[in-house]
Amino acid sequence: MMVHRKKKPALVIVAVLTLLCIAPTLAVNAKQERKLRFRQNGEFKILQVADMHFANGKTTPCLDVLPSQVAGCSDLNTTAFINRMISAEKPDLIVFTGDNIFGFDATDAAKSLNAAFAPAIASNIPWVAVLGNHDQESTLSREGVMKHIVTLKNTLSQVNPSDAHIIDGFGNYNLEIGGVKGSGFENKSVLNLYFLDSGDYSTVPSVPGYGWIKPSQQFWFEQTSARLQRAYMSKPAAQKAPAPGLVYFHIPLPEFAYFDQSNFTGVRQEGISSASVNSGFFTTMVAAGDVKAVFTGHDHVNDFCGRLTGIQLCYGGGFGYHAYGKAGWERRARVVVASLEKTEKRGWGDVKSIKTWKRLDDEHLTGVDGQVLWSKTSSGS
């Protein structure tokens, strides 16, 4: 009697497909388990890197530098600057605010992205990125760029929030920063970070110019802000006011044009290249009630912060050497530090103040324009 062994190829295929389906979810969950929280000294430091415009590395020349800097100047100068900043500031989080690569000059988008983010990856410091208007101009679409970024080591970036079924763009997500471990705020998010895709260019034929933050994104922001505020102001350790929020995206809002030399810190050396329509996102943030500051890039030789209706609107300042700039005006990076209130009984409380400064890529990494963006006692600078 011949015995036939039963083959189960269908079961094997199902098993393989199941693993493939759950793998991205497991990766996302693993990233979420890497909880960000304030240091034992009561501080949380963020390094903003705006407009790297990375392309092909050492073969990509620098733009707008002094004649004495031209020889040998390349994308590698951008890499060196990031390494210097990481070494000097030792941030808890690095935020890349778009135009991470300059697509037109990047032969292979994936390779350029890998090289651009290499210092952050090597540092083992958590990092995140949003898209600018040039990231998708190489060999990957905007979705493709964001999907590649989230695969890289140490990043907490997300393609989009898992609970948002319909949302415009790629790279809309938030991070919660917990209080000091062992304190009464250990299980509270005492600082909330929001990241949004401000688009590239208008897709409306009658509206020229750059993109903007769409209603679906604003709805997600409103819902997320409200949820975080409910959690923060509920037991245990219910708080009377929302935790402060910081928002990062690439293209500045039209409201950045409301300032003049008398009411901001830093410099304005070019026009405000916002969308030609106002999508109302600034009003949405004001209404939410928790946002204290917004950080953008896009306009490389602007680096100011100005306060409008209780929210600080800040540029990072041009960072990358293959990006346009101004010869003799050093590339720069913005640092933000949130500090907790010291309490007698539990050690560390909620956020007391948020400060910022910039560092220049000169011999001494000179710090400039230090200011208080927000504090519990007063919201002046």
Side-chain angles (χ1 to χ4, degrees):
M1 180 177 176
M2 185 176 292
V3 178
H4 295 280
R5 294 181 180 177
K6 293 182 180 180
K7 297 180 181 180
K8 299 179 181 180
L11 291 177
V12 173
I13 292 171
V14 169
V16 171
L17 289 175
T18 301
L19 286 172
L20 290 174
C21 289
I22 67 173
T25 303
L26 292 173
V28 170
N29 290 340
K31 288 180 180 180
Q32 291 173 342
E33 287 173 3
R34 186 171 183 178
K35 177 69 176 177
L36 295 177
R37 61 173 64 257
F38 277 71
R39 303 176 190 174
Q40 288 296 322
N41 68 354
E43 291 186 346
F44 189 86
K45 183 182 287 188
I46 303 170
L47 168 62
Q48 180 191 0
V49 176
D51 298 273
M52 287 191 291
H53 278 234
F54 206 94
N56 295 323
K58 66 180 180 180
T59 61
T60 300
C62 296
L63 302 180
D64 297 329
V65 294
L66 295 171
S68 60
Q69 297 175 296
V70 171
C73 192
S74 72
D75 278 337
L76 300 188
N77 290 62
T78 302
T79 299
F81 186 21
I82 300 178
N83 284 324
R84 293 184 75 200
M85 287 300 303
I86 291 172
S87 177
E89 292 289 358
K90 299 176 177 58
D92 300 292
L93 179 69
I94 306 169
V95 179
F96 296 92
T97 50
D99 282 2
N100 307 297
I101 63 172
F102 187 65
F104 284 127
D105 292 339
T107 305
D108 184 310
K111 288 183 178 179
S112 293
L113 290 165
N114 294 348
F117 297 128
I121 293 169
S123 73
N124 285 322
I125 294 170
W127 61 276
V128 294
V130 294
L131 301 181
N133 55 293
H134 290 304
D135 291 291
Q136 78 291 340
E137 293 167 342
S138 180
T139 55
L140 291 173
S141 64
R142 291 181 75 75
E143 181 178 12
V145 169
M146 207 64 216
K147 283 185 173 180
H148 181 78
I149 287 173
V150 301
T151 67
L152 300 177
K153 184 183 176 184
N154 298 325
T155 190
L156 299 177
S157 306
Q158 298 174 38
V159 175
N160 268 328
S162 58
D163 57 348
H165 301 296
I166 300 175
I167 190 167
D168 286 280
F170 302 97
N172 304 287
Y173 53 101
N174 71 288
L175 292 178
E176 302 175 21
I177 315 302
V180 171
K181 194 170 183 62
S183 73
F185 288 83
E186 178 179 1
N187 298 316
K188 291 279 190 182
S189 178
V190 297
L191 179 68
N192 294 310
L193 308 181
Y194 304 95
F195 307 93
L196 294 104
D197 180 2
S198 54
D200 50 6
Y201 302 96
S202 170
T203 57
V204 181
S206 59
V207 179
Y210 293 108
W212 56 88
I213 295 171
K214 306 296 197 305
S216 64
Q217 297 167 278
Q218 297 189 44
F219 178 73
W220 165 79
F221 165 79
E222 289 175 312
Q223 296 294 105
T224 304
S225 172
R227 172 178 58 79
L228 292 169
Q229 291 187 46
R230 284 194 302 270
Y232 192 67
M233 300 169 74
S234 299
K235 295 180 179 181
Q239 300 301 301
K240 295 180 180 179
L246 306 178
V247 183
Y248 289 86
F249 50 88
H250 181 69
I251 298 174
L253 302 173
E255 284 79 5
F256 274 67
Y258 288 15
F259 304 106
D260 57 39
Q261 298 291 342
S262 68
N263 57 3
F264 64 66
T265 301
V267 298
R268 174 178 171 175
Q269 301 178 113
E270 63 177 308
I272 310 301
S273 298
S274 59
S276 59
V277 296
N278 193 325
S279 69
F281 186 52
F282 181 78
T283 303
T284 297
M285 290 188 291
V286 171
D290 63 332
V291 175
K292 306 306 177 188
V294 171
F295 302 94
T296 69
H298 193 54
D299 299 328
H300 306 173
V301 294
N302 291 341
D303 73 350
F304 65 80
C305 281
R307 183 170 174 265
L308 181 67
T309 322
I311 297 177
Q312 295 276 357
L313 301 179
C314 299
Y315 279 106
F319 190 100
Y321 278 86
H322 187 54
Y324 77 83
K326 183 178 179 181
W329 192 73
E330 293 89 350
R331 266 59 175 187
R332 58 204 57 213
R334 181 173 292 281
V335 179
V336 171
V337 174
S339 301
L340 300 178
E341 191 161 44
K342 187 74 172 176
T343 62
E344 294 180 4
K345 295 181 179 180
R346 296 186 179 182
W348 293 109
D350 58 350
V351 177
K352 175 183 67 176
S353 67
I354 301 172
K355 301 175 183 178
T356 188
W357 60 87
K358 298 182 294 276
R359 281 190 183 269
L360 312 182
D361 191 21
D362 59 14
E363 182 182 356
H364 303 290
L365 278 181
T366 304
V368 297
D369 296 336
Q371 64 182 122
V372 177
L373 295 176
W374 174 84
S375 71
K376 286 177 67 174
T377 55
S378 67
S379 54
S381 60

